[in-house]
Amino acid sequence: MATTADIRNGLVLNFNNDLFQITEFQHVKPGKGAAFVRTKLKSLTTGRVIDNTFNAGVTITPVRVERRKFQFLYKDEAGYNFMDQETFDQINLDEKIVDGADLMKEGQEVEMLINAETETPLSCELPPFVELEVTYAEPGIKGDTANSPKKRVEVESGAKIMVPLFIESGQKIRVDTRTRDYVERVK
């Protein structure tokens, strides 16, 4: 058991018979009345984000989780297949657990959040930036450069990304996996 003083970003807790990860929190001490903690909780089963307020000193039930490195192997009709980097065990995950699945390519290293008590995967996160090769890009139209124009390209993993006009097929680009934005060209 823990109290609201132990709340921090990334903490996984059992709340309303579901597992939630704290994405954001703020401790508030108003001039009048008792202190409380405002939180944004992301459900690890449904992906839904909720706002919740805990009174100061209330007990919460944290869940012990581990972060492990996995390698993406391939996708089939059953889901996404990964291999543990330490034990070489293979696991299969459903598409809803994998964040940004269309930005993964075979051999990509990912980090999984695993419930230490039941050994079940809770979420799968890509690194903040991935390097992908552009497989299809329409030619850029010159002249319309007043407001940083962008065009849609397709990368090797099948995802469609908005990039500047000068990007062409065959070039490698760096993509931010959290916002799905183009970052830079890779040489």
Side-chain angles (χ1 to χ4, degrees):
M1 288 295 195
T3 65
T4 54
D6 300 319
I7 287 180
R8 64 185 188 285
N9 287 338
L11 178 72
V12 177
L13 53 100
N14 194 349
F15 177 69
N16 288 347
N17 297 324
D18 196 3
L19 293 177
F20 287 91
Q21 184 173 24
I22 297 175
T23 57
E24 201 176 300
F25 77 96
Q26 179 183 20
H27 188 274
V28 180
K29 175 73 175 98
K32 187 175 183 180
F36 57 90
V37 181
R38 278 193 198 111
T39 59
K40 277 191 190 284
L41 304 171
K42 180 182 179 189
S43 171
L44 294 176
T45 53
T46 63
R48 203 177 75 198
V49 178
I50 62 169
D51 292 323
N52 190 55
T53 303
F54 293 101
N55 290 328
V58 170
T59 59
I60 56 174
T61 311
V63 177
R64 207 176 64 127
V65 295
E66 297 175 353
R67 290 189 173 276
R68 294 188 196 156
K69 298 271 188 206
F70 279 79
Q71 182 180 14
F72 173 59
L73 298 176
Y74 58 92
K75 179 185 190 274
D76 58 12
E77 61 277 346
Y80 292 89
N81 293 283
F82 296 90
M83 178 181 68
D84 191 330
Q85 297 283 64
E86 295 172 6
T87 63
F88 304 109
D89 292 337
Q90 290 188 18
I91 62 169
N92 187 313
L93 289 184
D94 195 87
E95 189 169 351
K96 65 181 179 184
I97 294 178
V98 184
D99 293 335
D102 60 338
L103 293 175
M104 275 192 311
K105 60 182 181 178
E106 292 183 4
Q108 176 82 50
E109 191 172 287
V110 297
E111 196 171 73
M112 280 196 206
L113 207 60
I114 297 190
N115 187 336
E117 294 154 10
T118 61
E119 287 294 318
T120 56
L122 301 173
S123 72
C124 176
E125 301 168 358
L126 273 77
F129 301 100
V130 292
E131 294 178 3
L132 299 167
E133 185 176 331
V134 176
T135 56
Y136 174 73
E138 294 178 1
I141 300 167
K142 296 201 185 286
D144 181 27
T145 58
N147 53 359
S148 66
K150 300 208 181 250
K151 65 180 180 179
R152 185 178 302 275
V153 299
E154 188 171 329
V155 293
E156 61 185 304
S157 63
K160 293 183 175 23
I161 307 289
M162 296 300 284
V163 299
L165 291 177
F166 57 82
I167 301 295
E168 299 171 1
S169 292
Q171 292 182 327
K172 284 192 175 269
I173 60 172
R174 183 167 289 136
V175 178
D176 188 333
T177 58
R178 298 161 294 199
T179 60
R180 303 178 61 84
D181 289 337
Y182 163 83
V183 177
E184 65 183 352
R185 268 193 293 194
V186 179
K187 295 187 169 49

